[in-house]
């Protein structure tokens, strides 16, 4: 896939009626949805290490409008199952915004749980997430009527990154063994206090962002250390007749300033850089030593090869896809979000 020119129908933030006094540090797409049969992008603007805003772009017309008031900090944006709106985590509080309503609904939790970072939705009424209670992470569901239900909790281990597929709950378990963390992948029923089944045992390297594509296949990120450049491995998890296996697909690197620098860090940390899995490819962002910034690679599942497909004057983040079209964002050195041409995706997906 060659590098393409900016499209007239792309998200031209600085060529619309919106006028800003300054450029954001970073901007990147977080969700794509259809409204009145027209595709829309939800885009995060990060103005400072602690200031996010969310914008809505009508891809057809190029119109950009604010999706939320500036008083909110819209992290971990997630479309509702029926695409009638989206949820986000605002400084640990779960909030919901419907596209047809101006008001934002807050889901209050009256139990002493905290540290909510990511949420997923079972249906339009119930979401689930991991959160801390009494020093340990557990997995909970929460209804829009604000009914909180513990699904998997313990006073000894942490349960994190839940994925509910059909009637099964997949998760990452973390425990302290001989003064070292031990990470495992497990499975349980999603209805409460049933026994857990450990599928894979890892080592003390942190594992996170478990994403299940089915009951038999998933992916996670493994931290491999590093100081100025943090190294991460992208791992495929898959079930065979002999049990669950792992396969390292590729490594990607992220400069420390994006994760830990107090002036330049991403508010959402690794989330905007997480690889995006499609049917044939995995698209990801990684630091390129020659170009001295983050560029976009495409990993071909069939050949197990990665190729560089996009780079610019600043850092580029992993693209978000809707059908055959994909959009990527990045640092303030980029004046607009760029879209891959659908026909180019099709040409390389044969």
């Amino acid at each position: 896939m060659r590098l393409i020119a900016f499209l007239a129908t792309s998200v031209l933030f600085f060529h619309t009626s919106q006028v800003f006094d300054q450029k954001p540090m970073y901007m990147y797409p977080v969700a794509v949805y259809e409204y009145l049969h027209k595709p829309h992008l939800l885009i995060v603007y990060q103005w400072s290490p602690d200031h996010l805003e969310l914008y809505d772009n009508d891809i057809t017309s190029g119109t950009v409008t604010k999706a939320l008031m500036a008083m909110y900090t819209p992290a971990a944006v997630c479309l509702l199952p029926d695409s009638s709106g989206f949820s986000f985590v605002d400084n640990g509080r779960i909030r919901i915004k419907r596209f047809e309503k101006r008001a934002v609904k807050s889901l209050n939790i009256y139990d002493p749980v905290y540290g909510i970072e990511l949420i997923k939705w079972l249906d339009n009424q119930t979401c689930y997430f991991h959160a801390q209670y009494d020093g340990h992470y557990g997995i909970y569901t929460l209804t829009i009527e604000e009914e909180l239900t513990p699904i998997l909790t313990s006073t000894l281990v942490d349960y994190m990154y839940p994925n509910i597929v059909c009637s099964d709950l997949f998760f990452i378990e973390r425990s302290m063994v001989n003064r070292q963390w031990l990470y495992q992948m497990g499975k349980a029923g999603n209805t409460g206090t049933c026994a857990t089944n450990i599928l894979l045992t890892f080592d003390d390297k942190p594992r996170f962002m478990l994403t299940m594509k089915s009951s038999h296949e998933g992916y996670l990120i493994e931290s491999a250390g590093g100081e100025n450049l943090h190294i991460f491995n992208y791992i495929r998890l898959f079930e065979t007749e002999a049990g669950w296996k792992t396969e390292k697909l590729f490594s990607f690197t992220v400069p420390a300033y994006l994760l830990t620098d107090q002036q330049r860090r991403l508010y959402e940390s690794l989330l905007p850089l997480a690889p995006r899995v499609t049917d044939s490819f995995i698209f990801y962002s990684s630091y390129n030593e020659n170009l001295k910034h983050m560029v976009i690679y495409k990993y071909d599942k069939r050949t197990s090869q990665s190729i560089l497909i996009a780079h610019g004057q600043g850092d580029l983040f992993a693209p978000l896809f809707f059908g055959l079209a994909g959009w990527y964002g990045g640092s303030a050195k980029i004046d607009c979000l760029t879209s891959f041409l659908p026909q180019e995706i099709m040409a390389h997906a044969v």
Side-chain angles (χ1 to χ4, degrees), residues 95-115:
R95 304 188 193 270
I96 298 173
K97 172 67 169 64
R98 304 281 181 178
F99 295 124
E100 294 185 347
K101 296 182 179 180
R102 295 177 59 87
V104 172
K105 178 181 176 61
S106 300
L107 299 185
N108 296 307
I109 299 176
Y110 300 100
D111 297 69
V113 300
Y114 58 96

Side-chain angles (χ1 to χ4, degrees), residues 264-284:
R264 302 173 64 190
R265 62 176 172 81
L266 282 161
Y267 180 91
E268 295 192 279
S269 188
L270 199 61
L271 188 59
L273 308 175
R276 304 288 175 89
V277 180
T278 65
D279 289 341
S280 300
F281 307 114
I282 303 174
F283 294 84
Y284 65 98

Side-chain angles (χ1 to χ4, degrees), residues 73-110:
T73 302
V77 172
C78 181
L79 284 181
L80 300 179
D82 64 357
S83 295
S84 63
F86 59 90
S87 61
F88 60 99
V89 179
D90 176 19
N91 293 305
R93 296 190 67 185
I94 299 173
R95 304 188 193 270
I96 298 173
K97 172 67 169 64
R98 304 281 181 178
F99 295 124
E100 294 185 347
K101 296 182 179 180
R102 295 177 59 87
V104 172
K105 178 181 176 61
S106 300
L107 299 185
N108 296 307
I109 299 176
Y110 300 100

Side-chain angles (χ1 to χ4, degrees), residues 89-94 107-119 129-140 142 148 153-154 158-160 174:
V89 179
D90 176 19
N91 293 305
R93 296 190 67 185
I94 299 173
L107 299 185
N108 296 307
I109 299 176
Y110 300 100
D111 297 69
V113 300
Y114 58 96
I116 299 172
E117 298 172 332
L118 301 170
I119 66 172
F129 49 85
H130 71 243
Q132 282 190 283
Y133 175 80
D134 197 24
H136 284 283
Y137 283 100
I139 297 171
Y140 302 83
L142 179 68
L148 182 73
T153 61
S154 172
D158 295 314
Y159 297 111
M160 303 178 293
R174 182 178 67 176

Side-chain angles (χ1 to χ4, degrees), residues 31 110 117 120 142 202 207 219 234 252 295 309 319 331 346:
Y110 300 100
E117 298 172 332
K120 297 182 178 182
L142 179 68
F202 306 114
R207 270 81 174 179
Y219 299 87
Y234 202 58
F252 62 98
V295 302
I309 60 170
S331 71
M346 288 191 291

Side-chain angles (χ1 to χ4, degrees), residues 60-206:
T60 303
S61 68
T63 303
V64 179
T65 57
K66 269 193 174 183
L68 292 167
M69 295 176 63
M71 61 184 289
Y72 298 110
T73 302
V77 172
C78 181
L79 284 181
L80 300 179
D82 64 357
S83 295
S84 63
F86 59 90
S87 61
F88 60 99
V89 179
D90 176 19
N91 293 305
R93 296 190 67 185
I94 299 173
R95 304 188 193 270
I96 298 173
K97 172 67 169 64
R98 304 281 181 178
F99 295 124
E100 294 185 347
K101 296 182 179 180
R102 295 177 59 87
V104 172
K105 178 181 176 61
S106 300
L107 299 185
N108 296 307
I109 299 176
Y110 300 100
D111 297 69
V113 300
Y114 58 96
I116 299 172
E117 298 172 332
L118 301 170
I119 66 172
K120 297 182 178 182
W121 288 87
L122 278 173
D123 51 46
N124 289 323
Q125 304 297 313
T126 307
C127 65
Y128 64 99
F129 49 85
H130 71 243
Q132 282 190 283
Y133 175 80
D134 197 24
H136 284 283
Y137 283 100
I139 297 171
Y140 302 83
T141 62
L142 179 68
T143 69
I144 59 173
E145 288 80 23
E146 301 176 342
E147 180 181 350
L148 182 73
T149 303
I151 297 299
L152 200 57
T153 61
S154 172
T155 58
L156 299 175
V157 303
D158 295 314
Y159 297 111
M160 303 178 293
Y161 302 102
N163 284 245
I164 295 177
V165 183
C166 298
S167 60
D168 292 323
L169 168 64
F170 295 88
F171 56 87
I172 296 297
E173 179 184 302
R174 182 178 67 176
S175 58
M176 184 66 72
V177 178
N178 297 326
R179 298 185 179 181
Q180 284 189 318
W181 288 117
L182 175 68
Y183 289 83
Q184 299 183 104
M185 174 188 170
K187 182 176 76 171
N190 65 11
T191 54
T193 59
C194 56
T196 60
N197 180 23
I198 297 301
L199 306 177
L200 288 165
T201 298
F202 306 114
D203 53 26
D204 62 342
K205 294 178 183 177

Side-chain angles (χ1 to χ4, degrees), residues 29-50:
V30 291
V32 190
Y33 70 96
E34 279 190 315
Y35 183 69
L36 298 177
H37 307 293
K38 292 182 179 180
H40 286 247
L41 277 174
L42 292 177
I43 305 130
V44 161
Y45 276 43
Q46 179 174 328
W47 296 101
S48 74
D50 297 303

